[in-house]
C-alpha cells in the first residue's frame, strides 16, 4: 500500500469524529513549510480550525475549515488537504471542555474576520528572529512592534485570538497555547509548533508522534 493510500484509510476513520472548533495541524511539501518547521523545530507548519461538520438530516456533507491563507482568512472544504496526501500530512487536536456557547463565540469571531489579510511582515519577522537575529530585534523594539499588525494574522495567531477573545478572563490561561508570557505580543507570536506542543489541547489524531 502506498503511503498516501495508508493516509487516506487512516483519515477515513478520523474525519467522522471531527467536532466544531477542532484544530487541524498541517504539514505540506513546500519550501516555506520546510523553513517554518526547521526554525520552530516542529513537524507542523500550518493550522486551521473546523468551522462546521456534517449534520444529520441535512444535505451538506462536507467538513469546512478556516485558516489564515496567503490571500487572507479563508474558508475551505477539508478536501483542500485530504485530496492530496502526497503533499499534505494532517493531525487533529481538541481544546477540552468547550461548551456549545463558547464554540459559537469562537466561530463568530472567525467569521467576523473572513478576508482579513495575511500578515507577511510578521512571518518575515519570525523567520528573521529564528535565524539568529534575536539580539538585533531585542534591541530594536520599534522594529519588532512594526512587525505586529493586529489588523492582520498568521494562521496560529488567528486561532489563538479566536479562543482568547471569546473566553472570560478567569478562563483564558486554559486556552493559551504558548509559554512565552514575557513578551507583550505573546498572543501574536503563537506558532503551529506551540499549538502542537501545548498541554491546553489534546491530540485526537497524530500518526507522527
Amino acid at each position: 500500500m502506498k503511503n498516501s493510500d495508508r493516509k487516506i484509510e487512516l483519515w477515513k476513520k478520523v474525519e467522522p469524529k471531527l467536532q466544531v472548533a477542532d484544530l487541524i495541524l498541517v504539514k505540506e511539501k513546500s519550501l516555506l513549510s520546510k523553513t517554518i518547521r526547521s526554525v520552530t523545530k516542529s513537524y507542523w507548519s500550518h493550522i486551521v480550525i473546523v468551522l462546521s461538520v456534517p449534520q444529520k438530516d441535512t444535505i451538506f456533507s462536507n467538513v469546512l475549515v478556516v485558516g489564515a491563507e496567503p490571500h487572507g482568512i479563508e474558508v475551505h472544504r477539508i478536501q483542500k488537504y485530504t485530496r492530496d496526501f502526497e503533499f499534505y500530512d494532517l493531525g487533529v487536536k481538541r481544546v477540552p471542555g468547550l461548551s456549545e456557547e463558547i464554540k459559537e463565540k469562537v466561530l463568530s469571531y472567525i467569521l467576523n474576520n473572513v478576508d482579513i489579510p495575511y500578515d507577511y511582515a510578521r512571518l518575515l519577522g519570525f523567520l528573521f528572529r529564528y535565524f539568529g537575529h534575536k539580539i538585533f530585534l531585542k534591541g530594536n523594539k520599534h522594529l519588532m512592534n512594526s512587525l505586529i499588525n493586529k489588523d492582520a494574522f498568521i494562521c496560529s495567531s488567528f486561532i489563538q485570538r479566536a479562543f482568547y477573545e471569546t473566553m472570560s478572563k478567569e478562563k483564558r490561561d486554559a486556552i493559551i497555547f504558548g509559554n512565552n508570557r514575557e513578551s507583550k505580543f505573546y498572543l501574536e507570536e503563537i506558532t503551529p509548533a506551540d499549538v502542537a506542543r501545548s498541554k491546553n489541547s489534546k491530540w485526537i489524531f497524530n500518526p507522527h508522534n
Side-chain angles (χ1 to χ4, degrees):
M1 179 182 290
K2 293 193 306 183
N3 190 40
S4 59
D5 291 336
R6 183 183 65 84
K7 291 179 184 178
I8 290 171
E9 292 304 311
L10 285 173
W11 186 256
K12 284 180 180 179
K13 299 176 182 179
V14 175
E15 187 170 314
K17 301 176 183 178
L18 290 177
Q19 297 180 9
V20 169
D22 278 351
L23 308 173
I24 299 183
L25 279 298
V26 182
K27 177 254 185 181
E28 63 184 53
K29 290 183 179 178
S30 70
L31 179 59
L32 177 59
S33 172
K34 184 177 180 179
T35 302
I36 292 172
R37 289 185 286 115
S38 176
V39 298
T40 60
K41 296 180 174 58
S42 174
Y43 187 83
W44 309 101
S45 60
H46 186 50
I47 183 170
V48 296
I49 187 169
V50 175
L51 175 66
S52 69
V53 296
Q55 300 291 329
K56 293 180 179 178
D57 303 322
T58 67
I59 61 173
F60 186 74
S61 59
N62 282 297
V63 174
L64 294 181
V65 297
V66 189
E69 305 292 347
H71 297 291
I73 305 300
E74 298 179 356
V75 180
H76 293 281
R77 296 186 306 155
I78 192 66
Q79 285 91 334
K80 170 181 169 68
Y81 302 102
T82 60
R83 68 187 171 204
D84 190 359
F85 276 122
E86 291 287 351
F87 190 76
Y88 294 107
D89 281 343
L90 302 179
V92 182
K93 295 198 81 176
R94 182 174 295 158
V95 177
L98 294 180
S99 66
E100 292 304 314
E101 179 184 5
I102 290 297
K103 289 181 181 180
E104 288 181 10
K105 288 181 178 180
V106 170
L107 296 188
S108 295
Y109 179 91
I110 288 168
L111 292 175
N112 281 332
N113 284 283
V114 167
D115 292 334
I116 295 294
Y118 191 89
D119 195 346
Y120 285 100
R122 188 187 314 187
L123 177 61
L124 179 63
F126 286 154
L127 297 180
F128 185 72
R129 182 185 62 191
Y130 278 114
F131 276 123
H133 296 276
K134 293 183 180 181
I135 295 176
F136 178 75
L137 283 180
K138 186 176 181 180
N140 289 268
K141 294 182 179 180
H142 294 298
L143 175 59
M144 192 61 184
N145 290 354
S146 70
L147 296 174
I148 300 296
N149 177 5
K150 291 189 177 181
D151 293 321
F153 296 99
I154 60 172
C155 62
S156 39
S157 72
F158 166 61
I159 289 173
Q160 177 65 89
R161 277 285 175 190
F163 283 98
Y164 185 84
E165 298 294 346
T166 55
M167 286 287 192
S168 60
K169 290 183 178 179
E170 62 272 14
K171 294 183 178 179
R172 283 176 171 171
D173 281 347
I175 49 80
I176 294 175
F177 302 123
N179 295 316
N180 180 23
R181 307 292 181 86
E182 296 179 3
S183 169
K184 64 180 292 188
F185 297 114
Y186 68 90
L187 291 177
E188 315 301 332
E189 296 177 344
I190 299 296
T191 68
D194 291 322
V195 179
R197 296 170 184 144
S198 175
K199 294 181 180 179
N200 286 341
S201 56
K202 64 178 183 179
W203 283 107
I204 302 301
F205 173 67
N206 183 9
H208 312 290
N209 266 341

